[in-house]
Amino acid sequence: MDPVKPEEISHPPMDQLQGLEYCIDSNPPWGEAIALGFEHYILALGTAVMIPSFLVPMMGGDDGDKVRVVQTLLFIQGVNTLLQTLFGTRLPTVIGGSYAFMVPIISITRDSSLTRIEDPQLRFLSTMRAVQGAIIVASSVQIILGFSQIWGICSRFFSPVGMVPVIALTGFGLFNRGFPVVGNCVEIGIPMLILFVIFSQYLKNVQFRKFPVVERFAMLIAIIVVWAYAHILTASGAYKHRPHQTQVNCRTDMSNLISSAPWIKIPYPLQWGAPSFDAGHAFAMMASVFVSLIESTGAFKAAARLASATPPPPHVLSRGIGWQGIGILLNGLFGTLSGSSVSIENVGLLGSTRVGSRRVIQISAGFMIFFSMLGKFGALFASIPFTIFAAVYCVLFGLVASVGLSFLQFTNMNSLRNLFITGVSLFLGLSIPEYFRDFSVKALHGPAHTNAGWFNDFLNTIFLSSPMVALMISVFLDNTLDYKETARDRGLPWWAKFRTFKGDSRNEEFYTLPFNLNRFFPPS
């Protein structure tokens, strides 16, 4: 038997992910691009519906208020996605609502000055205005860090070893939104998960007129099949005598979105009235802005790989964070009950469809804006049970996490130093937030529980985020443990050429601003 050659048991590192049908600046035919854009729009509905559905009733709002918030959030998602793909990082990323803002928003809803308001509608409007004021002030953090290039300077301390846990946990850290939610209605969640895997992986080579229709639209086909199945179960009375929570998770007629939605409604700034401002609320909200900054940083790097682009240079990354800050400001002005961050599930869909085209994401932004104004039609799609989305998340979040792990190819994983940093960061990045979640469920408040509510919200928000915890641990360890002697092991020789815009000739192809705007904003 001939000896095995080294090249037969190892794979050379690759700057750009191979196997994609369309990369960031190549575009599918218009018909295919529009259909893929609609698929991304459907996926973005999950978070856009879930956040208002949870928060609006807590604030005293009714179904009509919930529909208006969903429409507003979708509208701003579309606007922010266009801004990010045109002037930000220019990566094919959907900018959606963020769960990172939940802790301070819930804290505001429990503020004694608001809970004592007896009229539910007045309490809803007062709470909304308080949330708006806090988000408007907090948005300044990302605007300043981004456009001043401070975040670009900070990112120069990142290395492949330090970023692997951060990117991986943007996916793995969302495990509680996956199968635990699927388990709330297994009769539609499990079929959705199985069908999506079968269509996207086992039947991906099925073609119609030489077009891989099943692979491209695996998620859309599976959602249509399971949604119809769920509707049959609902119409047949399968859930008539089941507990209320089961009905909420399984039935297709429990959201009350279609009946409450107006035919046409265009969101506008300050539609809920003038925002109110409170220093404590604003400071607590700043923690959420920091968390969304870190999560989006990891997601941008994952999206670049799934779009077959080079890692975004610090200048481009900082520019993207600045525009995300503008997006959070718009969230506050319009009143969406959430800030903004990169939609992790939509990043995963780039890999599932093997289409990383920027144009597809811009088309999906157009769908968001269009259907947010046509209330009845948008509400129809938004009535998809959230369990169906959770089944899709099980696949897409895992795909994004694996992209983070793929950066290990540029490092020496025979180094005990690197193994220590990677393992400890990944473990604590999952373990610490889980401790904070468990503590909060049992004690009805976070581990940080002092007389200063803003301080509690700040710490609890920071340590509930897996990517945030991972970044603090991995970047600290990577820049303090034998950092001078281990540059090659850390992957810095490969990473160095992406530290400046002109370090790699491909950066100009992927990240140059449109309309020749680089004349006015020259990259560094």
Short mmCIF file of all heavy atoms in Angstrom, two decimals, residues 1 9 25 110 125 187 205 213 218 252 254 261 286 289 311 322 367 378 385 397 423 451 501:
data_model
loop_
_atom_site.label_atom_id
_atom_site.label_comp_id
_atom_site.label_asym_id
_atom_site.label_seq_id
_atom_site.Cartn_x
_atom_site.Cartn_y
_atom_site.Cartn_z
N MET A 1 0.85 -1.20 0.00
CA MET A 1 0.00 0.00 0.00
C MET A 1 0.88 1.25 0.00
O MET A 1 1.82 1.36 0.79
CB MET A 1 -0.89 0.00 1.24
CG MET A 1 -1.86 1.18 1.30
SD MET A 1 -2.95 1.04 2.73
CE MET A 1 -3.85 2.58 2.53
N ILE A 9 -4.60 14.22 3.15
CA ILE A 9 -5.22 14.19 4.48
C ILE A 9 -5.45 15.58 5.05
O ILE A 9 -5.91 15.73 6.17
CB ILE A 9 -4.38 13.36 5.47
CG1 ILE A 9 -2.97 13.96 5.61
CG2 ILE A 9 -4.32 11.91 5.06
CD1 ILE A 9 -2.13 13.28 6.68
N ASP A 25 -21.15 40.05 -5.56
CA ASP A 25 -21.39 41.00 -6.64
C ASP A 25 -21.77 40.34 -7.96
O ASP A 25 -21.68 40.94 -9.03
CB ASP A 25 -20.17 41.91 -6.85
CG ASP A 25 -18.89 41.13 -7.03
OD1 ASP A 25 -18.95 39.89 -7.00
OD2 ASP A 25 -17.83 41.77 -7.19
N ARG A 110 -41.95 47.86 33.24
CA ARG A 110 -42.24 47.64 34.67
C ARG A 110 -41.94 48.85 35.53
O ARG A 110 -42.03 48.79 36.76
CB ARG A 110 -41.43 46.44 35.17
CG ARG A 110 -41.83 45.12 34.51
CD ARG A 110 -40.90 44.00 34.92
NE ARG A 110 -41.32 42.71 34.34
CZ ARG A 110 -40.59 41.60 34.39
NH1 ARG A 110 -39.40 41.61 35.00
NH2 ARG A 110 -41.05 40.48 33.85
N LEU A 125 -48.98 53.82 25.02
CA LEU A 125 -48.36 54.96 24.34
C LEU A 125 -47.24 55.57 25.20
O LEU A 125 -46.17 55.92 24.68
CB LEU A 125 -49.42 56.01 24.03
CG LEU A 125 -50.44 55.63 22.94
CD1 LEU A 125 -51.52 56.70 22.83
CD2 LEU A 125 -49.75 55.44 21.60
N GLU A 187 -45.94 18.63 16.50
CA GLU A 187 -46.65 18.08 15.34
C GLU A 187 -46.45 18.91 14.08
O GLU A 187 -46.66 18.41 12.97
CB GLU A 187 -48.14 17.90 15.61
CG GLU A 187 -48.84 19.11 16.16
CD GLU A 187 -48.93 19.11 17.67
OE1 GLU A 187 -47.90 18.84 18.32
OE2 GLU A 187 -50.01 19.39 18.20
N ASN A 205 -30.10 18.17 -5.60
CA ASN A 205 -29.73 17.98 -7.00
C ASN A 205 -30.92 17.82 -7.93
O ASN A 205 -30.76 17.65 -9.14
CB ASN A 205 -28.81 16.76 -7.13
CG ASN A 205 -27.47 16.97 -6.45
OD1 ASN A 205 -26.92 18.07 -6.51
ND2 ASN A 205 -26.96 15.94 -5.79
N VAL A 213 -34.27 23.97 -8.38
CA VAL A 213 -35.39 24.65 -7.74
C VAL A 213 -35.57 24.21 -6.29
O VAL A 213 -35.90 25.03 -5.42
CB VAL A 213 -36.69 24.42 -8.55
CG1 VAL A 213 -37.07 22.96 -8.60
CG2 VAL A 213 -37.83 25.24 -7.98
N ALA A 218 -35.82 25.50 -0.85
CA ALA A 218 -36.13 24.44 0.11
C ALA A 218 -36.94 24.97 1.28
O ALA A 218 -37.93 24.36 1.70
CB ALA A 218 -34.84 23.78 0.60
N THR A 252 -53.06 28.41 13.32
CA THR A 252 -52.71 29.43 12.32
C THR A 252 -53.62 30.66 12.41
O THR A 252 -53.46 31.59 11.63
CB THR A 252 -52.83 28.85 10.90
OG1 THR A 252 -54.17 28.36 10.70
CG2 THR A 252 -51.85 27.71 10.70
N MET A 254 -54.34 32.32 15.54
CA MET A 254 -54.28 32.88 16.89
C MET A 254 -53.58 34.24 16.95
O MET A 254 -53.63 34.92 17.97
CB MET A 254 -53.55 31.91 17.82
CG MET A 254 -54.34 30.66 18.14
SD MET A 254 -55.83 30.99 19.09
CE MET A 254 -55.11 31.46 20.68
N ALA A 261 -55.28 44.19 10.93
CA ALA A 261 -54.42 44.99 10.06
C ALA A 261 -55.25 45.89 9.14
O ALA A 261 -56.26 45.46 8.58
CB ALA A 261 -53.52 44.08 9.22
N MET A 286 -27.99 51.40 26.41
CA MET A 286 -26.66 51.42 25.78
C MET A 286 -26.01 50.05 25.83
O MET A 286 -25.24 49.68 24.94
CB MET A 286 -25.77 52.45 26.47
CG MET A 286 -26.12 53.88 26.14
SD MET A 286 -25.04 55.08 26.96
CE MET A 286 -25.82 56.63 26.45
N VAL A 289 -27.13 48.23 22.86
CA VAL A 289 -26.45 48.73 21.67
C VAL A 289 -25.05 48.12 21.56
O VAL A 289 -24.60 47.75 20.47
CB VAL A 289 -26.39 50.27 21.70
CG1 VAL A 289 -25.53 50.81 20.56
CG2 VAL A 289 -27.80 50.85 21.60
N PRO A 311 -12.76 38.87 4.33
CA PRO A 311 -13.21 39.48 5.58
C PRO A 311 -13.23 41.00 5.47
O PRO A 311 -12.30 41.59 4.90
CB PRO A 311 -12.18 39.01 6.61
CG PRO A 311 -11.62 37.75 6.03
CD PRO A 311 -11.63 37.95 4.54
N GLY A 322 -21.47 52.18 11.95
CA GLY A 322 -22.01 53.53 11.96
C GLY A 322 -23.40 53.59 11.33
O GLY A 322 -24.32 54.22 11.87
N PHE A 367 -39.42 44.03 -0.59
CA PHE A 367 -40.61 43.30 -0.14
C PHE A 367 -41.02 43.75 1.26
O PHE A 367 -42.22 43.90 1.55
CB PHE A 367 -40.34 41.79 -0.14
CG PHE A 367 -40.52 41.14 -1.49
CD1 PHE A 367 -39.45 40.55 -2.14
CD2 PHE A 367 -41.76 41.12 -2.10
CE1 PHE A 367 -39.60 39.95 -3.38
CE2 PHE A 367 -41.94 40.51 -3.35
CZ PHE A 367 -40.86 39.93 -4.00
N GLY A 378 -49.39 41.71 4.12
CA GLY A 378 -48.25 41.43 5.00
C GLY A 378 -48.67 40.60 6.20
O GLY A 378 -47.94 39.69 6.63
N PRO A 385 -47.19 30.28 12.03
CA PRO A 385 -46.83 29.97 13.42
C PRO A 385 -45.33 30.06 13.64
O PRO A 385 -44.54 29.59 12.81
CB PRO A 385 -47.34 28.53 13.61
CG PRO A 385 -48.44 28.38 12.61
CD PRO A 385 -48.01 29.21 11.42
N PHE A 397 -29.05 28.62 12.14
CA PHE A 397 -28.15 29.07 13.21
C PHE A 397 -26.93 28.15 13.29
O PHE A 397 -25.80 28.62 13.52
CB PHE A 397 -28.87 29.09 14.56
CG PHE A 397 -29.90 30.19 14.69
CD1 PHE A 397 -30.88 30.12 15.67
CD2 PHE A 397 -29.90 31.28 13.84
CE1 PHE A 397 -31.84 31.12 15.81
CE2 PHE A 397 -30.86 32.29 13.95
CZ PHE A 397 -31.83 32.20 14.94
N GLY A 423 -11.52 26.76 23.51
CA GLY A 423 -12.41 25.94 24.34
C GLY A 423 -13.02 26.72 25.49
O GLY A 423 -14.24 26.64 25.72
N ASN A 451 -30.10 48.34 43.99
CA ASN A 451 -31.13 49.39 44.01
C ASN A 451 -31.08 50.27 42.76
O ASN A 451 -31.99 51.05 42.52
CB ASN A 451 -30.96 50.27 45.26
CG ASN A 451 -31.30 49.51 46.54
OD1 ASN A 451 -32.15 48.62 46.52
ND2 ASN A 451 -30.61 49.84 47.63
N PHE A 501 -7.77 48.50 3.88
CA PHE A 501 -8.60 48.39 2.69
C PHE A 501 -7.74 48.04 1.47
O PHE A 501 -8.15 47.25 0.61
CB PHE A 501 -9.34 49.70 2.45
CG PHE A 501 -10.38 49.62 1.36
CD1 PHE A 501 -11.65 49.17 1.64
CD2 PHE A 501 -10.08 50.01 0.06
CE1 PHE A 501 -12.63 49.09 0.65
CE2 PHE A 501 -11.05 49.93 -0.95
CZ PHE A 501 -12.32 49.46 -0.64
#
